[in-house]
Amino acid sequence: MSTPESDEPDLGVRIRPYAITGGRTRAGTDLAIEAMVSSTPQGLAEADRLTLERARIVALCSTPQSVAEISAHLGLHLGVSKVLVGDLAGEGLLAVHRPNHVGDRPDLRLLERVLDGLQAL
């Protein structure tokens, strides 16, 4: 498909978010955007058999990432990322490390790591 400003075809593949999540808009588990996620050995072993987005998430999480970072790195809507991360965690392919909260406030070190990661983008 060409744009009026360009004669070059648009080669980008556009997939609707509901197609990636199977029509679901909410994750099966409640995931905070600051929750840290890492790949499990099982996830890394099965990565080559996963769909594109799911494989990319498992590969990215070979080093711990927050749910927000996953969304930003892969250019996915945050809701889509939460659904996929929740599914992968439920299948044992990702480990979700819940944030430490002191009272009603998140841990300061966690917030600093999330901020550092967002600034690195």
Side-chain angles (χ1 to χ4, degrees), residues 31-56:
L31 292 172
I33 63 170
E34 69 272 12
M36 298 300 287
V37 180
S38 61
S39 301
T40 64
Q42 178 187 354
L44 293 172
E46 294 183 23
D48 60 336
R49 293 188 293 263
L50 300 173
T51 61
L52 178 64
E53 292 81 13
R54 292 166 48 97
R56 290 175 61 201

Side-chain angles (χ1 to χ4, degrees), residues 7 14 18 20 37 39-40 43 46 57-58 63 67 70 78 90 93-94 99 102 107 111 114 121:
D7 290 332
R14 302 208 196 302
Y18 61 81
I20 297 171
V37 180
S39 301
T40 64
E46 294 183 23
I57 291 171
V58 169
T63 57
V67 175
I70 294 167
L78 186 58
L93 305 178
L94 291 178
V102 178
D107 181 52
L111 293 175
V114 170
L121 296 176

Side-chain angles (χ1 to χ4, degrees), residues 7-104:
D7 290 332
E8 295 181 27
D10 180 11
L11 299 177
V13 176
R14 302 208 196 302
I15 299 174
R16 297 282 185 192
Y18 61 81
I20 297 171
T21 63
R24 292 172 297 132
T25 59
R26 296 193 190 276
T29 59
D30 185 29
L31 292 172
I33 63 170
E34 69 272 12
M36 298 300 287
V37 180
S38 61
S39 301
T40 64
Q42 178 187 354
L44 293 172
E46 294 183 23
D48 60 336
R49 293 188 293 263
L50 300 173
T51 61
L52 178 64
E53 292 81 13
R54 292 166 48 97
R56 290 175 61 201
I57 291 171
V58 169
L60 179 64
C61 292
S62 61
T63 57
Q65 306 284 325
S66 70
V67 175
E69 289 173 311
I70 294 167
S71 177
H73 279 297
L74 300 182
L76 293 172
H77 185 275
L78 186 58
V80 171
S81 297
K82 285 177 142 184
V83 170
L84 294 176
V85 167
D87 290 350
L88 290 164
E91 295 168 21
L93 305 178
L94 291 178
V96 178
H97 312 282
R98 304 287 177 187
N100 297 329
H101 290 273
V102 178
D104 290 335

